[in-house]
């Protein structure tokens, strides 16, 4: 059987941080692949290293060793992620309030990535992406504090979608939300994955969220993968 | 409601009585037209009662009204708000101080914010005894060490001498429970006590609070957003929505509730069984639920 094309390949990834002089291993000898078009989960308790793995793939954590490739392009440790790769990989964080500038209107928060990348018709694209995530385009005039938590997370997802990424990284995207709002956001992510043909990597401490969303997952603890969960295992998981 | 008959026979009357509690918050233009709590009523005896709802439902406002911790911008009114013989609406500063840490204990969401970072754990666990009893220093220390071991902390002596920063979140929450239960309050109010903890720890902390309150014959009022959690834990569950109690069930009956809000909230929780399906969502245009 021919194996599906890998969207992300991680081989023997290791990350360590300096903590008061001593080196602490946050991620150790971590290897996994994510296939194109799938929803892949990283699950585990806080401090297990799952978010650090995601930040390496996003190019935010640049100090690492091992091999990481996204859509066949090798990431280079300690180098800034630029060009097409930077556009292809987008990330959504746990707390949408912290990831949106409090004094910028939504129109500016969403317009800037388009302007930076030299896209025209900024206003039209912002209105389009807002309606894609189920928000009224008039929301563009608002400030982040004038939105609810769920609406803010929709804006954060809209911003990630603007550059039409192939890979969407989600770090606890619903952990700060009520369960009914979480349901809306998870439905939205499932819809967008289909319409945009994206690959998703979802980090969560909640096994139920992973079991609902993902075709495959790995469970991490103490910086290393403890268990690979396919759909059969995920269906008994929680 | 059938709730009265589930109390244990030793109970003669509830510790906490709330009748038509109404809370409005003031903003720049005066008091809000929509109350944060709209005439809610409930009682708590020697049992576990859960107030459950989503953000903005008023569940924390209710807990804070009972604890006397609402900000001055809140206008509190009630037909009856009593804790034992005390009328909470007319209680003065000294009256509240006598009640807190003695009659009522509070466990809040994040122990990092409820523990004083610059004081040793032992000092903080003993505080209620120092303020409310005439025990000697040695007796207080013994009670504190007993309590630290009762909440399942390893090597109580070491914890006694530690500072909050040296403890994990789960240990911090155990310390808070020790500090709150040491003077045997009649009612423990816990506002999202496990939300800042990892999932594996949540049941342990709830079980601990349930066990200690049961042993001491105390009541427990649990504030939570997690329906599945309270169903396993609470004797009675009150579901709050937009400042009103819309549903009231025995804990184990919550999953069979026929109330549309409770049902949607229950089914909106993702799981392995919902893989590949759309989760049900609330119709937010409904305004108030039937």
């Amino acid at each position: 059987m021919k194996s599906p094309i890998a969207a992300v390949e991680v081989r023997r990834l290791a990350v360590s941080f300096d903590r008061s002089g001593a080196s602490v291993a946050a991620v150790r000898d971590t290897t996994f692949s994510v296939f194109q078009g799938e929803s892949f989960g990283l699950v585990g308790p806080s401090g297990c290293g799952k978010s650090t793995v995601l930040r390496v793939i996003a190019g935010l954590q640049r100090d690492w060793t091992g091999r990481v490739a996204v859509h066949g392009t090798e990431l280079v440790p300690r180098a800034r992620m630029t060009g097409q790769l930077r556009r292809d990989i987008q990330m959504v964080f746990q707390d949408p309030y912290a990831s949106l500038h409090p004094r910028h209107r939504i129109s500016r928060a969403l317009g800037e990535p388009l302007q930076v990348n030299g896209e025209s018709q900024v206003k039209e694209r912002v209105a389009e992406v807002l309606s894609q995530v189920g928000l009224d385009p008039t929301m563009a005039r608002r400030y982040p504090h004038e939105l609810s938590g769920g609406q803010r997370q929709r804006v954060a997802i809209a911003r990630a979608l603007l550059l039409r990424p192939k890979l969407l990284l989600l770090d606890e995207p619903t952990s700060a939300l009520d369960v009914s709002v979480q349901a809306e956001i998870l439905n939205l992510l499932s819809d967008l994955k289909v319409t945009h043909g994206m690959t998703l990597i979802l980090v969560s401490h909640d096994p139920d969220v992973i079991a609902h969303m993902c075709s495959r997952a790995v469970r991490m603890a103490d910086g290393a993968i403890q268990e690979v969960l396919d759909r059969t295992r995920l269906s008994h998981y929680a | 409601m059938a709730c009265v008959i589930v109390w244990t026979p030793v109970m003669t009357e509830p510790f906490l009585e709330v009748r038509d509690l109404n809370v409005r918050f003031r903003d720049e233009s005066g008091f809000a037209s929509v109350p944060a709590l709209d005439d809610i009523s409930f009682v708590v005896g020697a049992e576990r009662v859960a107030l459950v709802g989503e953000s903005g439902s008023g569940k924390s406002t209710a807990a804070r009204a009972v604890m006397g911790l609402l900000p001055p911008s809140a206008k509190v009114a009630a037909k009856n708000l009593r804790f034992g013989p005390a009328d909470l609406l007319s209680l003065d500063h000294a009256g509240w101080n006598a009640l807190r840490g003695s009659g009522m204990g509070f466990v809040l969401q994040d122990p990092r914010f409820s523990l004083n970072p610059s004081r040793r754990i032992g000092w903080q666990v003993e505080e209620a005894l120092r303020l409310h009893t005439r025990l000697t220093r040695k007796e207080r220390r013994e009670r504190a060490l007993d309590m630290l071991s009762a909440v399942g902390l390893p090597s109580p002596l070491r914890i006694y001498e530690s500072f909050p920063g040296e403890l994990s979140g789960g240990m911090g929450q155990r310390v808070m429970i020790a500090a709150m239960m040491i003077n045997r309050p009649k009612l423990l109010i816990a506002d999202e006590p496990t939300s800042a903890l990892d999932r594996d720890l949540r049941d342990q902390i709830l079980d601990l609070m349930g066990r200690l309150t049961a042993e001491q014959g105390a009541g427990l009022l649990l504030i939570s957003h997690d329906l599945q959690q309270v169903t396993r834990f609470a004797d009675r569950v009150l579901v709050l929505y937009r400042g009103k109690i819309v549903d009231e069930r025995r804990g184990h009956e919550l999953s069979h509730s026929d109330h549309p809000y409770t049902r949607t909230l229950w089914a909106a929780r993702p799981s392995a069984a919902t893989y590949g399906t759309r989760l049900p969502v609330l119709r937010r245009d409904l305004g108030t639920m039937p």
Side-chain angles (χ1 to χ4, degrees), chain A residues 194-209:
Chain A
V194 175
T195 51
H196 290 242
M198 287 182 298
T199 307
L200 304 187
I201 302 183
L202 174 63
V203 159
S204 180
H205 69 279
D206 186 343
D208 289 332
V209 169

Side-chain angles (χ1 to χ4, degrees), chain B:
Chain B
M1 294 280 158
C3 52
V4 183
I5 56 163
V6 302
W7 291 332
T8 47
V10 288
M11 276 293 307
T12 48
E13 56 184 49
F15 307 134
L16 177 69
E17 261 187 276
V18 178
R19 185 72 45 209
D20 290 346
L21 174 63
N22 189 291
V23 177
R24 278 171 203 271
F25 286 99
R26 191 167 39 213
D27 55 22
E28 303 93 61
S29 52
F31 283 103
S33 53
V34 181
L37 281 177
D38 192 359
D39 292 346
I40 68 163
S41 302
F42 63 95
V43 291
V44 184
E47 58 179 336
R48 304 166 180 186
V49 177
L51 273 177
V52 64
E54 298 201 292
S55 359
S57 64
K59 57 189 191 300
S60 287
T61 303
R64 281 167 194 281
V66 170
M67 301 187 286
L69 292 178
L70 282 173
S73 62
K75 190 167 84 175
V76 183
K79 219 169 254 168
N80 198 1
L81 188 61
R82 303 189 72 81
F83 183 75
D87 178 5
L88 299 183
L89 286 173
S90 61
L91 215 54
D92 60 7
H93 197 64
W96 275 114
N97 279 350
L99 201 59
R100 293 182 187 135
S102 169
M104 283 187 207
F106 321 130
V107 176
L108 304 180
Q109 180 170 346
D110 196 333
R112 282 178 303 179
F113 301 125
S114 358
L115 291 169
N116 183 340
S118 63
R119 286 286 192 172
R120 289 184 197 278
I121 296 299
W123 188 89
Q124 306 195 49
V125 172
E126 284 175 16
E127 188 173 33
L129 298 179
R130 221 167 26 249
L131 293 173
H132 298 287
T133 71
R134 291 165 164 274
L135 295 178
T136 64
R137 184 183 297 232
K138 186 156 169 274
E139 288 166 331
R140 289 201 303 260
R141 184 185 155 91
E142 268 170 29
R143 283 271 294 272
L145 287 172
D146 284 350
M147 205 62 221
L148 287 173
S149 111
V151 296
L153 285 164
S155 47
L157 210 57
R158 192 175 55 79
I159 303 280
Y160 185 91
E161 297 291 342
S162 311
F163 288 97
E166 303 170 59
L167 307 181
S168 69
M171 289 163 95
Q173 208 58 309
R174 284 176 199 271
V175 166
M176 273 312 295
I177 294 168
M180 288 302 135
M181 297 304 289
I182 194 165
N183 202 25
R184 309 179 75 84
K186 277 275 155 262
L187 178 66
L188 184 66
I189 299 174
D191 190 355
E192 300 275 8
T194 62
S195 303
L197 303 178
D198 277 337
R199 262 171 69 113
D200 302 347
L201 278 172
R202 292 182 183 173
D203 285 349
Q204 288 179 29
I205 293 294
L206 281 186
D207 287 345
L208 174 66
M209 286 193 300
R211 182 168 58 75
L212 287 177
T213 47
E215 278 169 14
Q216 300 189 3
L220 178 62
L221 180 61
L222 174 71
I223 314 297
S224 174
H225 67 279
D226 189 336
L227 250 67
Q228 275 76 3
Q229 181 185 61
V230 303
T231 222
R232 285 191 298 269
F233 182 74
D235 299 319
R236 289 192 295 126
V237 180
L238 312 170
V239 183
L240 270 171
Y241 179 72
R242 296 193 181 182
K244 281 188 163 72
I245 294 176
V246 295
D247 197 6
E248 177 168 358
R249 307 274 159 181
R250 304 281 198 89
H252 62 274
E253 289 169 354
L254 198 63
S255 58
H256 312 301
S257 173
D258 52 6
H259 192 280
Y261 179 69
T262 311
R263 281 177 70 95
T264 312
L265 216 53
W266 184 270
R269 180 95 189 100
S271 71
T274 58
Y275 177 65
T277 67
R278 291 182 70 78
L279 297 166
V281 295
L282 290 173
R283 283 185 52 203
R284 286 178 201 285
D285 53 339
L286 279 182
T288 49
M289 302 291 285

